[in-house]
Amino acid sequence: MKILKTMMTAITALLIATSASAAIQSAKQATDSVILKDAFENNFFIGTALNLDQIWERDSKAVAVVKTQFNSIVAENCMKSMFLQPQEGVFNFKDADRFVAFGEKNKMQIIGHTLIWHSQTPAWFFVDKNGKDVSREVLIARMKKHIQTVVSRYKGRVFGWDVVNEAILDNGEWRKSKFYQIIGPQFIELAFKFAHEADPKAELYYNDYSTAIPAKRNGIIAMVRQVKAAGGHVSGLGMQEHNGLDNPSISEVEKTILGFAGLGVKVMVTEMDISVLPHVRPDMGAEIGERHAYSKEMNPYEEGLPAEKMEELGKRYVDFFSLYLKHHDKISRVTLWGVGDGDSWKNGWPIPGRTDYPLLFDRNYQPKPFVKDIIALTQKKKK
């Protein structure tokens, strides 16, 4: 009986391994002519954000694409503080450990996201046992413990961290988050200080959306100068690039690349997607708390994306990648915010229930027709 059980276990393991191998081989055959990470290897890393099904390799089609196409990964959700430390002093590293192990196993650049953010921070972080705001000293101590516990756990394993996320508003002013209200603007400087102490060799980033808006761009530049002047170790600035078909303009994005690079830091595209859906308002960014009611008019492509819209999306992606290649000496990474269209947060934000097509791979994890055009840009550059 024991021998039979051992044989059955071995056969099951072999079947799982064979299935996973077949999925990877199938993905590779389908996309041999469109291997993104190979095409851009002399320019910048090509990354993607992973959800839990991909981290735990439950979605074999998605995992096959990740392993074939990308050489950098970022945790979409599992490294945010609400998941890592849901209760004070109670850390849950199960998913984050798996994410880092996945990256190491596949020899990928590993990016941690995100240490300090006004959203998806557990409520306890800011209040005492009576529900009142904690003192400045208490919040600094909590921030330090969280950052240093997380960063030191992955010291030498995580390449870079989004230390602070979205602290500047579109008008260039500081976001009046709880971190800002209780600690003041010094919270960013302290966050970078604590992260650097925990892992002096890790790259440390500030990350934000709508960075092509001139007032916001200038606000971020002013803030980073302030942090660097105070001794903060800012390695790079992330442009999230949650874009639309007609906004922002390529020229304004280029100004942001040049402005950020002028600070003496790396520039990276950290959360790229391009929505084909109507925007609720101009300069729609990525304010996670923004929500609007569903209407059929705002969800025009529920049955599929028309050929002319796919062509328009492709041209837009080619325009952006042309810009990134032009400035490859300044840009270290371009990361897509999701693997396939079905994974994208844009299907539910800012209007729940919509069907969007914002990524390079469709809902079946097949490359869209224009991916080959993006790759062709690298061939032109060689000539």
Side-chain angles (χ1 to χ4, degrees):
M1 180 67 83
K2 190 177 287 187
I3 294 172
L4 181 60
K5 194 172 182 180
T6 302
M7 287 177 63
M8 291 300 292
T9 302
I11 291 169
T12 301
L14 180 62
L15 287 171
I16 291 172
T18 303
S19 174
S21 175
I24 292 171
Q25 190 59 32
S26 173
K28 192 167 191 322
Q29 289 171 352
T31 60
D32 259 341
S33 59
V34 287
I35 305 295
L36 288 161
K37 67 183 181 184
D38 294 346
F40 289 93
E41 65 179 345
N42 296 320
N43 299 289
F44 38 71
F45 283 87
I46 296 289
T48 188
L50 300 188
N51 62 32
L52 291 183
D53 282 340
Q54 293 149 5
I55 289 167
W56 287 97
E57 301 192 53
R58 296 188 289 254
D59 186 341
S60 60
K61 284 186 178 180
V63 170
V65 171
V66 173
K67 292 179 177 180
T68 304
Q69 296 287 342
F70 300 101
N71 52 17
S72 177
I73 55 171
V74 61
E76 184 178 19
N77 276 304
C78 70
M79 282 183 155
K80 292 170 181 173
S81 56
M82 69 180 289
F83 299 111
L84 283 186
Q85 195 183 180
Q87 297 172 271
E88 185 168 14
V90 179
F91 286 86
N92 178 9
F93 289 110
K94 182 180 177 182
D95 293 328
D97 284 352
R98 175 73 182 197
F99 165 73
V100 173
F102 179 95
E104 289 177 330
K105 182 176 71 173
N106 294 291
K107 298 179 172 57
M108 294 171 166
Q109 180 194 65
I110 301 168
I111 307 297
H113 174 84
T114 174
L115 295 170
I116 297 296
W117 187 27
H118 68 275
S119 182
Q120 291 185 268
T121 299
W124 68 259
F125 223 94
F126 307 110
V127 297
D128 60 21
K129 61 183 179 181
N130 299 314
K132 305 290 186 183
D133 283 358
V134 294
S135 67
R136 185 176 190 271
E137 292 70 28
V138 168
L139 185 53
I140 289 173
R142 287 179 176 179
M143 191 169 74
K144 181 177 183 179
K145 180 179 180 180
H146 180 79
I147 291 172
Q148 297 200 333
T149 299
V150 174
V151 175
S152 62
R153 184 179 183 87
Y154 303 111
K155 183 178 180 180
R157 301 172 70 195
V158 167
F159 180 82
W161 289 93
D162 288 333
V163 178
V164 178
N165 216 42
E166 303 170 6
I168 302 296
L169 298 172
D170 288 0
N171 62 7
E173 295 178 2
W174 289 71
R175 181 188 295 276
K176 303 307 186 287
S177 67
K178 280 292 183 182
F179 290 108
Y180 183 92
Q181 290 174 33
I182 297 172
I183 298 174
Q186 194 188 16
F187 85 88
I188 296 185
E189 171 198 330
L190 290 169
F192 277 92
K193 176 177 181 287
F194 298 151
H196 182 67
E197 288 172 352
D199 188 351
K201 292 185 178 178
E203 289 193 351
L204 305 177
Y205 316 129
Y206 174 77
N207 185 49
D208 216 327
Y209 62 82
S210 297
T211 57
I213 296 175
K216 185 162 192 170
R217 176 200 309 140
N218 294 335
I220 292 170
I221 289 172
M223 177 272 290
V224 172
R225 282 183 177 145
Q226 182 177 324
V227 172
K228 286 170 70 70
H233 293 267
V234 182
S235 313
L237 292 181
M239 310 184 305
Q240 290 184 13
E241 297 292 83
H242 294 295
N243 297 325
L245 290 177
D246 55 5
N247 186 69
S249 71
I250 295 292
S251 62
E252 289 298 338
V253 175
E254 183 168 33
K255 289 175 187 175
T256 299
I257 294 170
L258 296 172
F260 285 0
L263 292 167
V265 300
K266 293 182 178 180
V267 182
M268 53 210 69
V269 175
T270 55
E271 304 184 17
M272 189 180 193
D273 47 38
I274 300 176
S275 176
V276 300
L277 299 178
H279 275 191
V280 176
R281 58 177 175 78
D283 287 332
M284 195 74 185
E287 184 57 57
I288 195 74
E290 187 168 350
R291 285 287 184 273
H292 297 273
Y294 179 89
S295 69
K296 181 65 179 171
E297 296 74 33
M298 299 300 282
N299 188 29
Y301 310 121
E302 195 171 2
E303 302 303 319
L305 194 63
E308 64 272 15
K309 275 294 169 185
M310 181 70 80
E311 188 176 339
E312 191 178 349
L313 177 64
K315 184 178 185 310
R316 186 76 161 143
Y317 260 112
V318 167
D319 286 347
F320 274 109
F321 270 89
S322 296
L323 177 67
Y324 303 152
L325 275 173
K326 178 181 176 181
H327 294 291
H328 70 95
D329 57 324
K330 306 170 187 68
I331 293 173
S332 61
R333 169 170 56 96
V334 175
T335 292
L336 282 299
W337 203 243
V339 182
D341 286 340
D343 306 319
S344 176
W345 74 300
K346 286 296 186 73
N347 294 297
W349 182 92
I351 299 174
R354 294 202 296 178
T355 303
D356 208 344
Y357 305 81
L359 298 170
L360 300 183
F361 293 84
D362 65 22
R363 281 169 167 74
N364 293 314
Y365 298 106
Q366 294 301 303
K368 291 179 180 173
F370 56 80
V371 174
K372 67 182 185 303
D373 301 323
I374 293 173
I375 284 176
L377 296 171
T378 63
Q379 303 306 313
K380 292 177 186 174
K381 184 174 175 291
K382 288 175 184 175
K383 294 175 185 176

